[in-house]
Amino acid sequence: MKKTLLAAALAVGFAGVAQAETSVTLYGVLDGGIGYQKFSGADSADDAKRVGLINGIQSGNRWGLKGSEDLGNGLRAVFQLESGFGLDQGRSAQGGRLFGRHATLGLASDAWGQIDLGRQTNIASKYMGGIDPFGLGFDQANMGTAFTAANTVRYDNMIMYQTPNFSGFQFGLGYSFNANGSQNWDYDEDQVFFAADGVTPIAIGNPDDLNLKAITTGVRYANGPLAVALTYDRLEAPTIDSGFLDSDDVQSYNLGLAYDFEVVKVHGAIGQTKDGLFQQHSYADLSAPNAFTHVDGLKVNSYMLGLSAPVGAGRIMASWLMADPTDTPTAWDGWRDEKQNTFSLGYTYPLSKRTNVYAIGSYVKDVNFVDGDKATLIGVGVRHQF
């Protein structure tokens, strides 16, 4: 009797939703396992290792809501809210943001494409997923460790447009008014900025100059066995020049290709980042770098070669990544100018349509261009999608 009454109540409650032709989906990913992680520094005082629970290795743990409402004439209102968290403690990720992985509202049409407002990943992190044999997952094995603009970079305050898929072709363009944090006001007159003591002046300028403005764009083709992606990102990073607020561009160009021969799929990419880095990978607490870093004079060439192939019901993946700092600033000379190489091997096996197990082994030499710094990851895990 109680179940019947509950079913009737739900039917009445969802009747209005059905009439409005609105759909809302709850989804998520849970990923955890056991692993060994080690960071070896050129200075032995930086050595660190850990054996125990690993989480979010193949895919970051998350839950989310997404939905759409039919507005007629092929137009839809769409939204997506996605929250990241750690399986180890259940705490929010992305700096404690409630919907730090994704928070957008937009309009979509099969005829002209989709426009979204809010926080989401940049174009490189969307379009390079089909190029990387590890699908931009698997922690330090993903291509973002060498191509920092494709390392799941997220921009706040963004407006993004993407075309429909035209026989495999798609174009995207996004602009962020401030990629990290609330947008600062544009004052009619310059302001004086003080140091932490509130007394010492450090710069003069407009608060609008503190906005980390960003452009992200790219085109991809995915049809049959071939996938190609070309992306570009630019940040206007705030700087101080002779006591005045200024900005310098950090730029990244990436080109990737994958071709499936059925027996084996080959993956390759090249890229270049100038005057800074985007989303660097954190190998250990002792070596965690900042995102959106401006480094005047830095030029890093990035390369990837990889293979993936079906093995039984599962799939094996392998890749080599290199980030080569061909030009480095004077302050880095002699200690942070080595080529960073990453070697990775992984395997996934499906237990069902939603659950799979995986194994991963990855080794990084000269982490973050520092001679002698090394990082190792070995683990097995299970991932469930709902």
Side-chain angles (χ1 to χ4, degrees), residues 85-118:
F85 62 91
L87 193 65
D88 52 351
Q89 300 182 62
R91 296 181 183 273
S92 294
Q94 290 80 49
R97 301 170 190 243
L98 176 58
F99 295 111
R101 292 185 61 91
H102 197 111
T104 60
L105 172 67
L107 295 172
S109 166
D110 293 336
W112 55 260
Q114 182 166 327
I115 187 168
D116 291 297
L117 306 172

Side-chain angles (χ1 to χ4, degrees), residues 98-359:
L98 176 58
F99 295 111
R101 292 185 61 91
H102 197 111
T104 60
L105 172 67
L107 295 172
S109 166
D110 293 336
W112 55 260
Q114 182 166 327
I115 187 168
D116 291 297
L117 306 172
R119 174 179 169 86
Q120 62 175 306
T121 55
N122 65 339
I123 293 294
S125 299
K126 296 180 187 296
Y127 290 5
M128 288 295 169
I131 305 300
D132 183 9
F134 289 92
L136 296 184
F138 287 94
D139 199 71
Q140 69 182 46
N142 91 79
M143 70 179 289
T145 59
F147 299 75
T148 60
N151 197 18
T152 318
V153 175
R154 296 183 176 90
Y155 294 150
D156 296 336
N157 305 292
M158 183 157 62
I159 178 170
M160 178 178 286
Y161 168 72
Q162 294 186 83
T163 67
N165 187 313
F166 297 111
S167 301
F169 285 99
Q170 186 175 29
F171 169 79
L173 174 65
Y175 180 80
S176 170
F177 297 91
N178 188 5
N180 189 22
S182 299
Q183 183 181 354
N184 295 295
W185 289 85
D186 185 354
Y187 281 72
D188 290 338
E189 297 184 2
D190 288 345
Q191 310 292 308
V192 178
F193 295 87
F194 297 92
D197 59 13
V199 176
T200 307
I202 57 174
I204 297 175
N206 197 309
D208 178 61
D209 294 332
L210 293 174
N211 289 317
L212 189 67
K213 303 177 182 71
I215 293 176
T216 179
T217 188
V219 60
R220 64 178 169 183
Y221 174 80
N223 196 0
L226 178 64
V228 182
L230 175 65
T231 66
Y232 170 76
D233 277 80
R234 189 185 79 201
L235 292 171
E236 294 181 13
T239 60
I240 298 177
D241 184 10
S242 302
F244 292 89
L245 288 181
D246 200 353
S247 64
D248 285 300
D249 290 346
V250 182
Q251 301 182 75
S252 177
Y253 310 82
N254 297 304
L255 172 65
L257 179 148
Y259 193 90
D260 192 350
F261 292 95
E262 296 185 359
V263 176
V264 64
K265 187 174 184 179
V266 296
H267 309 254
I270 58 173
Q272 186 179 89
T273 305
K274 293 182 177 181
D275 294 319
L277 298 165
F278 286 75
Q279 183 68 46
Q280 293 177 268
H281 184 78
S282 176
Y283 297 92
D285 293 340
L286 295 174
S287 65
N290 294 321
F292 309 135
T293 304
H294 171 252
V295 185
D296 189 37
L298 176 65
K299 183 170 72 174
V300 179
N301 292 331
S302 302
Y303 309 91
M304 182 196 73
L305 289 175
L307 297 171
S308 60
V311 177
R315 191 166 190 85
I316 192 169
M317 305 153 291
S319 73
W320 162 75
L321 300 164
M322 184 173 73
D324 180 9
T326 56
D327 293 324
T328 57
T330 303
W332 284 19
D333 287 351
W335 77 277
R336 198 176 174 188
D337 53 8
E338 297 294 321
K339 299 176 182 178
Q340 174 185 282
N341 285 274
T342 305
F343 308 90
S344 304
L345 180 66
Y347 180 71
T348 65
Y349 184 87
L351 301 178
S352 70
K353 290 184 178 180
R354 295 184 176 184
T355 304
N356 69 281
V357 292
Y358 63 82

